[in-house]
Amino acid sequence: MQLIAKLGILADAAKYDASCASSGAPKRSSKGRDGLGATNGMGICHSYTPDGRCVSLLKVLLTNFCLYDCQYCVNRRTSNVPRARFTPEEVVRLTLDFYRRNCISGLFLSSGIIRSADYTMEQLIRVARLLREEHEFRGYIHLKTIPDADPLLIEEAGRLADRLSVNIELPTDESLQLLAPEKKASTIRLAMGTIHQGQLAVAGERNAPRFTPAGQSTQLIVGADSTDDHTILGNAQALYQGYALKRVYYSAFSPIPDSPSSVPLAAPPLLREHRLYQADFLMRGYGYSAGELLREAGNLALDIDPKLAWALANREVFPLDVNRAEPALLARIPGIGLRSVQRLVALRRERRIRYDDLVQLRCVLDKARPFIVTSDYRPPEAEVRSGLLRARLREPQAPQQMGLWA
Amino acid sequence: MIALDCGNDFATWREQARTLLSHNIDPCDVVWAQGLMHDLLALPTPLPTGRGSFRARIPAALLGQLEQAGRYRGDQRWSLLYEVLWRVAHGDRTAMLAGDRLGSELQRRIKQVSREAHHLHAFVRFVPLPPQLAEHLQLDLVAFHEPAHDILHSASEHFAERLGRQRWLIATPEDGIRYDGNALDYRKQCPEQWQQWAQQADDPDGELWPTYYRHTFNPARVNPGALAQHMPGRFWRHLPEGALIGQLVGQAQRGKQRDGQAAEVASQGGKRIVPRGQSGPL
Ligand code: SF4
């Protein structure tokens, strides 16, 4: 099979992984040296596809042959899809070619499971080794970890890659048993633990060899089973705390060709996915806990964002005086982001904050207005308490993708 | 009215601004323009000679911010900077902070400029020259790019870090930059020959990238608005994948298929896998 035909099949098979980040790697440069590639901590999106997602890495499978039968996966062994397999050299060639063209900042390589978990992991490592050692490639490398692989192999991968990921996909044991019978929650967590241990072993040691400097990540599928957002966010929080994960990705389940009856054949729940990302960002960046964002079982509201939902549920905290409130509290005002908080703090050292300053800072005042006090503005008491507030602040629900699913 | 031309060069502007400020000349009395002054009512007064007596304290961070904002192509490109400088020099630091009207505009320009540098790093597409030509021109990779602001010079070092000893050039309609593996050669006026090399390069392996782009797209998630927001349409015509965008959106929206697979893959014969030791269909 020609390289270009393999590329088509193996890129198509890899697109259900949401992650394409190239950020968080240490500073590396090839200036005046042999080899190729640089990283500086910032990721670069070299393109966007018409689904609006960033293209930062060459994201392919080494092969989409797979012995497992995960129901949600297009590559499961019972799926009737065309199959292909790259040689490690072919992946290297594609990575270097796209990198020189400035189409990508690195490689995200994953694979179906062939022969055995160890064999598959060895193949992934071989690609990374060729890139790093033979071609002195200093760009970004993200390797998918095969959970059942020998911990020594996982450690080897961690020394070559900037990031490793082990996908959880389904957050409960019951769902895994039902939809991914060959996978086990316990081995997935063990693999995450191996990676975390590898990171801890070099933490604080300046001369130790690098180990996944851009951290580890995972992905949860949303909408393939009946798991609710409460469980998903609780899981994410536990992962951030227990394994120091860099990112949890949420992937709205896209219907797959030749779909088995065990998973839905419906439009991907994109808005739900979006709300989960917002909630996740609030946990990582703003200090909200999962329990604050969703107090009981169920899903996040779709008609308002989770920050606004928290403010509406905690009205006694508001209105907040923008001239006095602690920065951490300012950041809890709907419509005011972290960057605006920094700028407000800088500005109020010089003078009192007025309403117009928030306009100039492009804060979303429609959302912020009922929750703030400035030197020349105070919301009417009735407004802050009003039960109508939520109705007024709802986002119009644009039906997504009506063309496809109506 | 004092009319000045700094040739869109920050160092020149800074000298002029220093002189003006030392004579305490009000921003209303000075204008920067390129070439001839169009405002015939403004009778140009010459720039005073020598330094005046006004000594201002300028925060160290401001100069860097002014330099960055000076790369912005737009109305009042240099007058705005002088107004900021003048206000800060007279003790009003809000002029450089977002929140203040003038400060917001300054910060907006800085942001646009760094965004444009980011666009350069993201959307430049090099074409590798065939070995013989590369040897002849001493050049491995060429690209054509159209930035909206003057960021080529300050933002191109990035490619020397990425590409090691590779020799490359980036041509634009205005300026150009070339790297020989050791040093950068920046031209304010891009040599015509550079533009020709960059725009006429043959690319026999050029189909691989568009193939990848087609297949990494998930038609079940089509969302062209998000694409346009992150990758402005003005860049599409120099991107090898640019021509595919409309086509892919069209196919996805016509609803030919409801899953994530590309049509080209769906039309190929499939293969179910039987694990070793098992016989017959699963
Ligand atoms: S192991 Fe499961 S999820 Fe991974 S490729 Fe195979 S079938 Fe798909």
Side-chain angles (χ1 to χ4, degrees), chain A residues 1 3-5 7-9 11-13 15-16 20 27-40 42-53 55 57-60 64-67 69 74-83 93-94 97-106 115 250-252 254-258 265-268 270 273 339 343 346-347 350-351 356-357 360-362 400-401 403-406, chain B residues 91 93-94 97-102 104-105 107-108 111 118 120-129 140-141 157-166 179 181-182 184 203-228 230-231 239-241 244-246 248-249 252-266 268-276 278 282:
Chain A
M1 195 186 285
L3 184 62
I4 197 163
L7 177 62
I9 291 172
D12 223 276
K15 70 173 114 184
Y16 304 91
C20 202
K27 193 162 170 47
R28 291 191 295 255
S29 168
S30 294
K31 194 172 179 198
R33 305 165 72 182
D34 288 335
L36 199 64
T39 48
N40 63 3
M42 299 234 304
I44 299 177
C45 288
H46 290 275
S47 193
Y48 288 83
T49 61
D51 55 34
R53 293 196 290 183
V55 181
L57 305 171
L58 168 63
K59 178 162 60 181
V60 287
N64 66 339
F65 285 95
C66 188
L67 293 173
D69 205 27
V74 64
N75 306 310
R76 72 191 185 284
R77 65 169 186 257
T78 53
S79 173
N80 188 26
V81 289
R83 310 271 174 177
R93 182 190 146 191
L94 286 169
D97 179 57
F98 289 174
Y99 195 92
R100 290 173 84 214
R101 290 170 182 270
N102 203 45
C103 293
I104 54 169
S105 280
R115 275 199 234 171
Y250 306 90
S251 177
S254 281
I256 47 176
D258 194 20
L265 185 62
L270 295 178
E273 176 195 277
R339 191 156 171 72
R343 293 179 148 176
L347 192 59
E350 304 291 327
R351 61 166 168 74
D356 183 56
D357 296 328
Q360 292 301 321
L361 284 173
R362 285 160 227 259
Q400 305 227 2
Q401 300 176 298
L404 261 176
W405 291 93
Chain B
R93 278 177 177 239
T94 60
L97 295 179
D100 177 85
R101 270 173 199 275
L102 185 64
S104 290
E105 179 60 17
Q107 296 302 332
R108 190 187 70 82
K111 192 168 164 195
H118 205 73
L120 177 86
H121 299 161
F123 304 141
V124 153
R125 289 291 186 269
F126 288 108
V127 176
L129 295 179
D140 303 301
L141 301 160
E157 167 97 17
H158 171 85
F159 295 106
E161 306 219 331
R162 278 175 72 97
L163 295 169
R165 294 193 207 280
Q166 301 270 301
Y179 185 69
N182 279 307
L184 290 164
D203 194 2
D205 277 338
E207 265 314 297
L208 284 168
W209 174 251
T211 300
Y212 175 71
Y213 182 82
R214 254 200 320 274
H215 288 278
T216 200
F217 163 54
N218 182 343
R221 299 178 59 110
V222 63
N223 183 357
L227 174 143
H230 295 295
M231 191 161 82
L239 292 171
E241 64 269 36
L244 287 173
I245 296 172
L248 291 173
V249 171
Q253 284 178 336
R254 262 180 271 123
K256 284 252 165 65
Q257 68 186 106
R258 294 181 159 204
D259 57 52
Q261 196 177 46
E264 295 90 326
V265 172
Q268 297 175 40
K271 184 177 169 120
R272 296 200 166 90
I273 295 164
V274 183
R276 253 177 301 173
Q278 249 173 304
L282 284 156

Side-chain angles (χ1 to χ4, degrees), chain A residues 220 231-241 248 250 280 283:
Chain A
L220 297 170
T231 309
I232 291 178
L233 287 177
N235 259 278
Q237 179 168 286
L239 291 168
Y240 285 129
Q241 288 168 356
V248 174
Y250 306 90
D280 183 271
M283 296 199 298

Side-chain angles (χ1 to χ4, degrees), chain A residues 79-390:
Chain A
S79 173
N80 188 26
V81 289
R83 310 271 174 177
R85 179 176 177 182
F86 280 131
T87 64
E89 287 75 13
E90 286 171 329
V91 180
V92 167
R93 182 190 146 191
L94 286 169
T95 307
L96 296 177
D97 179 57
F98 289 174
Y99 195 92
R100 290 173 84 214
R101 290 170 182 270
N102 203 45
C103 293
I104 54 169
S105 280
L107 171 69
F108 176 8
L109 187 64
S110 181
S111 182
I113 299 186
I114 41 171
R115 275 199 234 171
S116 69
D118 282 355
Y119 176 78
T120 309
M121 196 69 222
E122 279 164 10
Q123 294 297 301
L124 297 176
I125 291 172
R126 187 166 146 67
V127 174
R129 192 171 286 294
L130 280 172
L131 278 169
R132 288 283 193 244
E133 289 171 6
E134 224 155 272
H135 298 277
E136 297 187 51
F137 177 69
R138 299 180 192 89
Y140 192 94
I141 298 181
H142 175 170
L143 294 181
K144 181 68 77 56
T145 310
I146 312 297
D148 294 312
D150 188 327
L152 288 175
L153 290 173
I154 298 180
E155 281 169 24
E156 194 178 348
R159 286 190 292 272
L160 292 164
D162 291 294
R163 168 169 286 187
L164 293 182
S165 58
V166 193
N167 281 3
I168 291 184
E169 308 289 17
L170 301 169
T172 66
D173 289 337
E174 304 83 75
S175 288
L176 269 179
Q177 265 165 30
L178 204 66
L179 297 179
E182 286 99 346
K183 288 189 176 170
K184 278 202 201 70
S186 55
T187 45
I188 293 173
R189 308 269 162 168
L190 274 177
M192 289 181 148
T194 304
I195 298 170
H196 186 39
Q197 287 306 318
Q199 292 168 342
L200 290 177
V202 299
E205 305 250 348
R206 231 188 302 141
N207 298 320
R210 301 268 191 187
F211 192 92
T212 60
Q216 71 164 315
S217 62
T218 191
Q219 168 169 294
L220 297 170
I221 301 183
V222 180
D225 63 351
S226 59
T227 309
D228 66 7
D229 293 352
H230 185 256
T231 309
I232 291 178
L233 287 177
N235 259 278
Q237 179 168 286
L239 291 168
Y240 285 129
Q241 288 168 356
Y243 301 93
L245 247 67
K246 258 284 166 7
R247 282 300 298 276
V248 174
Y249 291 91
Y250 306 90
S251 177
F253 181 66
S254 281
I256 47 176
D258 194 20
S259 179
S261 56
S262 49
V263 292
L265 185 62
L270 295 178
L271 188 53
R272 184 176 165 205
E273 176 195 277
H274 177 62
R275 293 292 183 230
L276 280 167
Y277 273 115
Q278 288 180 318
D280 183 271
F281 187 59
L282 292 176
M283 296 199 298
R284 286 180 299 124
Y286 287 72
Y288 289 82
S289 70
E292 279 182 301
L293 293 168
L294 206 49
R295 279 189 219 166
E296 48 208 44
N299 288 345
L300 293 164
L302 293 180
D303 60 342
I304 53 174
D305 69 70
K307 191 171 163 185
L308 178 58
W310 184 85
L312 287 171
N314 293 275
R315 301 229 190 152
E316 68 288 352
V317 177
F318 301 97
L320 280 170
D321 186 339
V322 179
N323 278 299
R324 273 198 220 119
E326 289 292 315
L329 267 183
L330 282 182
R332 292 206 168 203
I333 301 172
I336 297 187
L338 286 180
R339 191 156 171 72
S340 295
V341 170
Q342 281 174 1
R343 293 179 148 176
L344 285 170
V345 171
L347 192 59
R348 77 187 184 184
R349 272 191 220 116
E350 304 291 327
R351 61 166 168 74
R352 309 263 300 149
I353 309 274
R354 295 181 299 259
Y355 186 83
D356 183 56
D357 296 328
L358 298 173
V359 178
Q360 292 301 321
L361 284 173
R362 285 160 227 259
C363 295
V364 187
L365 281 156
D366 280 341
K367 277 189 191 172
R369 203 178 297 120
F371 301 100
I372 52 163
V373 171
T374 64
S375 64
D376 57 350
Y377 173 82
R378 163 173 287 279
E381 183 68 15
E383 186 173 33
V384 185
R385 306 284 156 231
S386 166
L388 293 175
L389 197 49
R390 179 185 172 124

Side-chain angles (χ1 to χ4, degrees), chain B residues 67-87:
Chain B
E67 181 167 18
Q68 182 74 339
R71 299 189 173 113
Y72 180 90
R73 292 184 200 149
D75 274 358
Q76 317 261 313
R77 177 167 173 177
W78 301 102
S79 330
L80 179 116
L81 302 190
Y82 184 61
E83 197 181 338
V84 172
L85 181 67
W86 196 84
R87 267 179 57 187

Side-chain angles (χ1 to χ4, degrees), chain B residues 162-177:
Chain B
R162 278 175 72 97
L163 295 169
R165 294 193 207 280
Q166 301 270 301
R167 301 155 299 183
W168 48 265
L169 81 76
I170 303 169
T172 86
E174 313 274 330
D175 49 359
I177 196 158

